[in-house]
């Protein structure tokens, strides 16, 4: 970049003097006032160095095209239909522009810790500081019952979630992270040995592969090899969401699930906003309208998505907020389960009782926003939920019954994450009937929560079965 500016500079006494001045500008130790007719360009400058802004002078000529740190400058506009262009922009944003989560312009790619279970907080506390500082997730993507299973992280970045999962699946489990950004993978790979020793494993159970999450075959991942796939604020960064879900479905075993957090829009995002490189990097421009996720998931072959959590996203930048207008965004966690067709067709509404024997889930097994299974309590579920549970890894801890203990299960809850994010989170366990209790109790048990049916449902949910 210096040589290009030198070739255009006729206003300074020598190239040596210009190099000294520009070096001082780069280091922030010199403020330069441009000459009349010069062009001043503000560029993001976040090296290697720190995140600030520099002014580059081009005296009467065009600006230098190179970016700071020797990389190419990031474009303000991208073609959202070009996978290659979006990939390059995202790789530049997360590989070069962002040096830590403090550099983000919104809270879309951050995760609050207030509702995080203690055992997950403890696991994160054991992850290396450098890995944690390069974390850009938007939700908690650690489902329950993970011991000894095989897991895949789509867009694993610097590896924070992978290392947390490495501890939770145990030495006999397996965790694979896939990411397209070499700078992030480099951070993750150099901390593998650190975490193997930290967790007391005799050998590493985690690996990181370079690749694209919509092309998992190119990363060497075969059909039906994973029990759980997670992804944390990454799918929105990919232009072809359909391909991502198809590949996830392919590499999952029957009964496996995609448990992921991502950003969703209150309505379809305009083409103008989708072309904004910064908003794309901030997980905003590529966000799906939430109804489109439901359609894509069912098209690929997943069971109807289950909404687990949702939280509003706020903008920390007035200019970005002005661009977005009345568009709203949430970060939401959904679970998409691969249910064999035969199991879905033969499913029926049932009562389900959790045995309370799973590690880190002794009191309650959480399923979605409205369905949880307190240990030893029978909970009514719809045929759709029964099919998912019977096919899933949860089934070894569940007892299924058609006993009249539970009343008919109600319709599935609302899948709109904006509805959930606007509500005050409820406490305690509940059943799938929390959205609309049945009108009549069963003759044998009476109302749920009464003395004659205390084992039927949690006492906090009266008249549900």
């Amino acid at each position: 970049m210096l040589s290009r500016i030198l070739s255009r500079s006729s206003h300074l006494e020598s190239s040596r003097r210009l190099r000294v001045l520009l070096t001082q500008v780069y280091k922030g130790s010199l403020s330069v006032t441009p000459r009349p007719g010069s062009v001043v360009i503000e560029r993001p400058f976040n090296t290697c160095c720190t995140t600030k802004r520099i002014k580059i002078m081009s005296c009467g000529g065009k600006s230098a095209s190179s970016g700071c740190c020797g990389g190419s400058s990031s474009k303000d506009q991208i073609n959202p239909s070009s996978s290659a262009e979006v990939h390059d922009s995202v790789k530049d944003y997360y590989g070069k522009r962002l040096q830590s989560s403090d550099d983000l312009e919104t809270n879309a790619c951050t995760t609050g810790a207030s509702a995080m279970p203690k055992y997950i907080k403890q696991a994160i506390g054991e992850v290396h500081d450098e890995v944690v500082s390069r974390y850009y997730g938007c939700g908690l993507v650690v489902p329950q019952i993970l011991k000894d299973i095989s897991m895949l992280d789509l867009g694993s970045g610097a590896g924070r979630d992978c290392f947390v999962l490495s501890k939770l699946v145990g030495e006999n489990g397996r965790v694979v992270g896939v990411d397209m950004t070499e700078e992030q993978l480099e951070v993750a790979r150099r901390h593998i040995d650190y975490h193997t020793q930290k967790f007391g494993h005799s050998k590493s159970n985690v690996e990181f592969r370079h690749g694209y999450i919509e092309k998992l075959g190119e990363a060497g991942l075969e059909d039906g090899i994973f029990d759980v796939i997670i992804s944390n604020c990454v799918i929105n960064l990919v232009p072809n969401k359909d391909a991502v879900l198809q590949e996830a479905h392919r590499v999952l075993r029957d009964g496996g699930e995609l448990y992921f957090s991502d950003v969703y829009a209150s309505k379809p995002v305009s083409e103008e906003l989708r072309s904004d490189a910064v908003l794309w990097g901030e997980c905003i421009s590529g966000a799906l309208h939430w109804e489109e996720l439901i359609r894509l998931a069912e098209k690929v072959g997943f069971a109807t998505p289950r909404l687990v959590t949702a939280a509003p996203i706020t903008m920390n930048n007035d200019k970005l907020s002005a661009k977005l207008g009345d568009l709203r965004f949430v970060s939401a966690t959904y679970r998409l389960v691969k249910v064999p067709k035969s199991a879905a067709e033969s499913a029926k509404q049932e009562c389900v009782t959790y045995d309370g024997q799973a590690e880190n889930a002794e009191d309650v097994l959480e399923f979605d926003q409205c369905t949880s299974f307190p240990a030893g309590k029978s909970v009514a579920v719809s045929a759709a939920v029964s099919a998912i549970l019977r096919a899933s890894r949860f089934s070894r801890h569940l007892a299924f019954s058609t006993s009249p203990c539970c009343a008919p299960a109600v319709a599935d809850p609302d899948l709109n994450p904006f509805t959930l994010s606007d509500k005050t989170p409820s406490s305690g366990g509940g059943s799938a009937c929390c959205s609309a209790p049945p009108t009549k109790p069963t003759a044998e048990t009476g109302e749920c929560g009464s003395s004659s049916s205390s084992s039927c449902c949690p006492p906090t949910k009266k008249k549900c079965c």
Side-chain angles (χ1 to χ4, degrees):
M1 180 184 73
L2 294 175
S3 62
R4 294 183 183 181
I5 298 177
L6 282 172
S7 67
R8 299 187 179 99
S9 177
S10 60
H11 299 285
L12 296 175
E13 296 177 1
S14 66
S15 62
R16 183 194 64 79
R17 175 60 176 159
L18 180 57
R19 288 181 186 276
V20 171
L21 288 172
L22 288 174
T23 299
Q24 291 175 318
V25 172
Y26 259 76
K27 291 181 177 179
S29 60
L30 178 65
S31 175
V32 180
T33 302
R35 293 169 61 95
S38 64
V39 178
V40 179
I41 299 158
E42 272 200 345
R43 290 195 184 280
F45 180 59
N46 64 310
T47 69
C48 355
C49 15
T50 56
T51 305
K52 51 186 176 182
R53 302 191 75 83
I54 63 169
K55 289 186 177 181
I56 301 175
M57 270 202 322
S58 173
C59 303
K62 294 182 179 179
S63 63
S65 60
S66 296
C68 72
C69 289
S72 60
S73 63
S74 59
K75 296 166 61 178
D76 292 333
Q77 298 293 308
I78 56 174
N79 177 4
S81 300
S82 169
S83 293
E85 197 167 319
V86 172
H87 286 156
D88 287 345
S89 177
V90 171
K91 282 190 283 188
D92 181 75
Y93 201 80
Y94 286 88
K96 296 183 175 64
R97 177 167 179 171
L98 297 183
Q99 297 302 301
S100 77
S101 55
D102 291 337
D103 299 337
L104 293 165
E105 300 285 353
T106 73
N107 73 340
C109 298
T110 58
T111 305
S114 59
M116 194 178 294
K118 183 178 179 180
Y119 73 95
I120 297 178
K121 289 182 181 178
Q122 291 175 337
I124 293 174
E126 296 184 48
V127 176
H128 195 281
D129 289 344
E130 183 182 11
V131 172
V132 173
S133 73
R134 298 294 293 265
Y135 167 74
Y136 308 114
C138 64
L140 183 62
V141 287
V142 184
Q144 294 170 304
I145 309 185
L146 302 180
K147 194 71 171 176
D148 298 336
I149 70 170
S150 180
M151 300 190 68
L152 170 65
D153 184 0
L154 300 178
S156 53
R160 193 205 76 162
D161 288 339
C162 283
F163 290 125
V164 170
L165 297 172
S166 169
K167 178 179 175 66
L168 298 179
V169 302
E171 190 169 344
N172 295 324
R174 179 194 184 202
V175 180
V176 177
V178 173
D179 202 275
M180 67 178 181
T181 308
E182 287 287 5
E183 291 88 348
Q184 294 276 71
L185 289 170
E186 181 184 350
V187 174
R189 286 169 176 155
R190 70 169 173 261
H191 291 97
I192 290 177
D193 289 344
Y194 170 88
H195 292 97
T196 300
Q197 296 175 17
K198 187 75 172 178
F199 301 151
H201 297 163
S202 61
K203 63 181 186 304
S204 175
N205 63 353
V206 62
E207 62 177 295
F208 296 95
R209 301 190 184 190
H210 181 265
Y212 298 95
I213 64 174
E214 66 271 48
K215 299 178 181 179
L216 296 177
E218 294 182 1
L221 301 181
E222 302 172 353
D223 296 358
I225 58 174
F226 293 105
D227 300 294
V228 176
I229 298 174
I230 67 162
S231 183
N232 203 336
C233 205
V234 171
I235 294 177
N236 69 84
L237 297 173
V238 180
N240 192 347
K241 275 78 166 173
D242 197 331
V244 175
L245 296 188
Q246 287 177 346
E247 281 290 87
H249 190 272
R250 178 182 67 81
V251 301
L252 279 172
R253 298 187 175 109
D254 283 347
E257 69 170 327
L258 170 60
Y259 187 94
F260 69 111
S261 289
D262 219 295
V263 177
Y264 298 93
S266 56
K267 61 183 179 181
V269 179
S270 70
E271 195 69 14
E272 179 183 0
L273 291 176
R274 281 169 45 78
S275 300
D276 189 298
V278 172
L279 285 175
W280 198 288
E282 290 283 331
C283 305
I284 296 297
S285 288
L288 281 176
H289 179 215
W290 67 271
E291 290 182 338
E292 182 68 1
L293 169 71
I294 311 304
R295 186 191 69 79
L296 287 178
E298 295 180 344
K299 172 187 172 185
V300 166
F302 285 107
T304 300
R306 315 299 302 188
L307 176 60
V308 182
T309 63
I313 287 174
T314 59
M315 300 295 138
N316 304 325
N317 183 304
D318 291 339
K319 289 184 178 179
L320 294 186
S321 296
K323 282 186 179 182
L324 297 175
D326 63 349
L327 260 178
R328 296 173 62 206
F329 294 87
V330 297
S331 63
T333 300
Y334 285 92
R335 64 188 338 145
L336 277 56
V337 183
K338 183 178 178 179
V339 178
K341 187 176 180 180
S342 58
E345 291 175 345
S346 62
K348 54 185 178 295
Q349 136 184 335
E350 296 183 278
C351 294
V352 177
T353 306
Y354 170 52
D355 65 12
Q357 297 302 304
E359 185 177 5
N360 296 316
E362 291 80 2
D363 297 325
V364 62
L365 177 62
E366 304 287 356
F367 182 66
D368 64 20
Q369 58 166 316
C370 196
T371 312
S372 58
F373 302 93
K377 302 291 185 179
S378 181
V379 176
V381 298
S382 65
V385 173
S386 175
I388 291 173
L389 294 174
R390 282 184 173 274
S392 75
R393 67 189 185 283
F394 303 144
S395 61
R396 65 181 182 270
H397 292 287
L398 301 175
F400 297 84
S401 172
T402 55
S403 160
C405 169
C406 282
V410 300
D412 288 336
D414 189 356
L415 298 179
N416 183 345
F418 291 90
T419 302
L420 181 59
S421 70
D422 290 341
K423 290 180 179 178
T424 302
S426 58
S427 60
S431 73
C433 50
C434 63
S435 58
T439 56
K440 292 195 301 183
T442 61
E444 181 177 330
T445 60
E447 295 179 350
C448 182
S450 68
S451 59
S452 61
S453 61
S454 59
S455 65
C456 176
C457 288
T460 56
K461 301 296 180 185
K462 302 243 179 179
K463 296 186 178 180
C464 69
C465 58

